[in-house]
Amino acid sequence: MLALGLVLNTLGIGLFCWAIFAIAVYALPFFVALSIGMTALQTGTGVVAALLIGTAGGARTLVLGQIAVAVTRSLALRIAIATTFAVPAAVAGYHVVFALSPIGVPSLAWREVFACLGAVCIGLTSWMRLFVLAETRPFEPGGVVESTS
């Protein structure tokens, strides 16, 4: 039973780490959706309407960010857009790692060090996922891209 517990704990921690890195790029859309939804709720809309408005705002933020990175030809502008998405992911990564670090690290100084390293890793992962994986395509007349083969 002890061996099974260790294996399942290791798999659970691995799954949790994978989830953090997989959803890091969605930190900015989540923050936007939460802000829009809370604003809508405070202005008098119902709970269901606020959820729908917030979800639509967050989805729109993600789609517009990915389109902007893919369409923009300026490298500086692409870096700025990707950084805009990476900074909230880094902040969220810092807080996740800092909250989980007391499990294995008793020293506050080392917890801060690990939290900063986690923020850098998660922020860079989010930046790379948005910046590198966005394919840029040239615009052609009529919206058709000709095949080179």
Side-chain angles (χ1 to χ4, degrees), residues 30-117:
F30 176 75
F31 290 150
V32 168
L34 188 65
S35 298
I36 290 173
M38 291 299 291
T39 302
L41 187 64
Q42 290 174 356
T43 58
T45 61
V47 174
V48 175
L51 283 171
L52 291 174
I53 292 169
T55 302
R60 188 175 192 159
T61 302
L62 178 64
V63 168
L64 290 177
Q66 288 178 339
I67 289 172
V69 169
V71 170
T72 303
R73 293 182 184 214
S74 168
L75 182 62
L77 190 56
R78 290 179 73 199
I79 289 172
I81 294 168
T83 303
T84 303
F85 275 77
V87 169
V91 171
Y94 171 85
H95 288 290
V96 166
V97 174
F98 189 75
L100 293 177
S101 62
I103 295 171
V105 182
S107 169
L108 183 60
W110 280 107
R111 286 173 40 195
E112 287 286 341
V113 168
F114 286 128
C116 289
L117 287 174

Side-chain angles (χ1 to χ4, degrees), residues 92-145:
Y94 171 85
H95 288 290
V96 166
V97 174
F98 189 75
L100 293 177
S101 62
I103 295 171
V105 182
S107 169
L108 183 60
W110 280 107
R111 286 173 40 195
E112 287 286 341
V113 168
F114 286 128
C116 289
L117 287 174
V120 168
C121 290
I122 292 172
L124 284 176
T125 300
S126 174
W127 191 80
M128 294 294 280
R129 288 187 73 197
L130 190 68
F131 185 76
V132 173
L133 298 179
E135 289 186 32
T136 56
R137 297 188 152 235
F139 287 118
E140 296 292 328
V144 177
V145 177

